[in-house]
Amino acid sequence: MAKKNKKQTTDAEVEPQFNGDTDDSHTKKKLKKKKNKKIPTVTMAVPASIIDNVQTLELATRLAGQIARAATIFRINEVVVFDNKTKPDDDSVMDNSDDESSAAFLMRILQYLETPQYLRKALFPMHNSLRFVGLLPPLDAPHHLRKHEWGPYREGVTVKERDSNSGATLVDVGLVKNVTVDQIFEPGRRVTVAMGTNRNLDSDLPRQVVSSSKPREEGTYWGYQVRYSHNISSVFKDCAYKGGYDFIIGTSEHGQIIKSSDLEIPSFRHLLIAFGGLAGLEESIEEDDNSKGKKAQDIFNLYLNTCPNQGSRTIRTEEAIFISLQYFQEPINRALQG
């Protein structure tokens, strides 16, 4: 893998700051209640096998770009790339070799595109799989700020140089000058920096490094995480969120047909939507030893056909992702408001 992106997938929790001089117990109770607030997440799982059916590196890159665009447009928080293997490999799926697997290729492109442009040179060394990424449209996500833009948060990467006066860690946040932060980090680490309201980059006041979930707690979409699973059952079993996914949806032409307006998704903390490859999710389930003898309806809370009466005999996975994520928009919104 390219230099490891330290952005972590965790439950989002608000961390209020108490003023030691106050005796306002009512305020403390309100803040304590706010601290326990959980931010719902939506994950989509896609099979690495969709890359196997692409004839050229350029076309494979464009396909991966479509998935990244869909994830960003529909505010997906996590993308899981899964294989159909009986057991995990001994080595990391991302080994930086030019002849990498379909899963490693797809993950690399997804991670590269999610990273703000000004950080990519520091976090991603040159690699054959990245040859055609310049042809892809940018994600233009909220955390991909331009040099002239100021926001309450910016993604950054820690650099080798230290502040000449204080010895504090310097972070490149894509502005004309690096900023100092209030913690010591090793170089090459991706961090989320709270920029505050002081726009004076010459100020000695350090900025604060916060959890990457912090902007999302305040209602701003802040990109997606990328995770690998060696088979479909490990997609669920190895969930990075505490408590796992509490509602799981599979998509297939063999699924149940329900109008989007009639679909009811219960209130959730972590929702997963899974997509199949050329042979559908049924093949992934059949090739998974942990799912032998099970039907898709036994594994998923809902198993849906989101595009009935299709004119083509086949709908490509990248097409199904756009169709399905649009189909789920209103049901998800209703679940979150319920």
Side-chain angles (χ1 to χ4, degrees), residues 172-191:
D172 177 4
V173 292
L175 297 174
V176 294
K177 187 176 180 180
N178 295 337
V179 300
T180 60
V181 295
D182 58 356
Q183 299 178 46
I184 301 296
F185 295 101
E186 71 276 14
R189 174 169 178 168
R190 179 174 169 178
V191 294

Side-chain angles (χ1 to χ4, degrees), residues 70-227:
T72 304
I73 289 169
F74 293 103
R75 301 170 67 93
I76 296 298
N77 305 109
E78 180 190 36
V79 181
V80 183
V81 177
F82 66 91
D83 271 323
N84 289 334
K85 297 181 179 180
T86 55
K87 62 180 181 178
D89 295 328
D90 294 332
D91 299 324
S92 170
V93 66
M94 304 280 284
D95 58 8
N96 272 335
S97 65
D98 284 343
D99 186 23
E100 62 184 358
S101 67
S102 297
F105 171 85
L106 181 54
M107 291 177 66
R108 190 182 303 277
I109 301 297
L110 291 174
Q111 290 172 335
Y112 181 89
L113 291 176
E114 188 277 335
T115 303
Q117 290 90 329
Y118 57 85
L119 299 182
R120 291 172 181 171
K121 186 176 181 180
L123 295 174
F124 292 88
M126 293 181 64
H127 194 279
N128 183 60
S129 294
L130 300 175
R131 279 172 52 199
F132 295 105
V133 290
L135 301 176
L136 301 179
L139 300 189
D140 207 17
H143 63 301
H144 289 201
L145 294 167
R146 278 77 166 176
K147 185 173 290 188
H148 66 276
E149 293 179 315
W150 188 273
Y153 303 97
R154 289 185 78 100
E155 291 295 285
V157 61
T158 55
V159 300
K160 291 182 179 180
E161 295 78 13
R162 295 293 177 91
D163 183 82
S164 57
N165 296 323
S166 65
T169 299
L170 292 172
V171 180
D172 177 4
V173 292
L175 297 174
V176 294
K177 187 176 180 180
N178 295 337
V179 300
T180 60
V181 295
D182 58 356
Q183 299 178 46
I184 301 296
F185 295 101
E186 71 276 14
R189 174 169 178 168
R190 179 174 169 178
V191 294
T192 304
V193 180
M195 299 300 294
T197 57
N198 183 6
R199 301 194 180 196
N200 180 12
L201 297 179
D202 294 319
S203 171
D204 293 332
L205 187 66
R207 318 280 172 169
Q208 184 182 11
V209 172
V210 299
S211 168
S212 60
S213 66
K214 192 70 173 175
R216 194 160 55 84
E217 293 167 14
E218 299 178 6
T220 302
Y221 176 66
W222 208 248
Y224 54 78
Q225 307 289 332
V226 181
R227 178 169 67 86

Side-chain angles (χ1 to χ4, degrees), residues 273-290:
I273 302 170
F275 298 91
L278 189 63
L281 283 170
E282 293 84 0
E283 180 186 58
S284 298
I285 295 170
E286 184 178 336
E287 294 186 8
D288 188 334
D289 289 340
N290 297 314

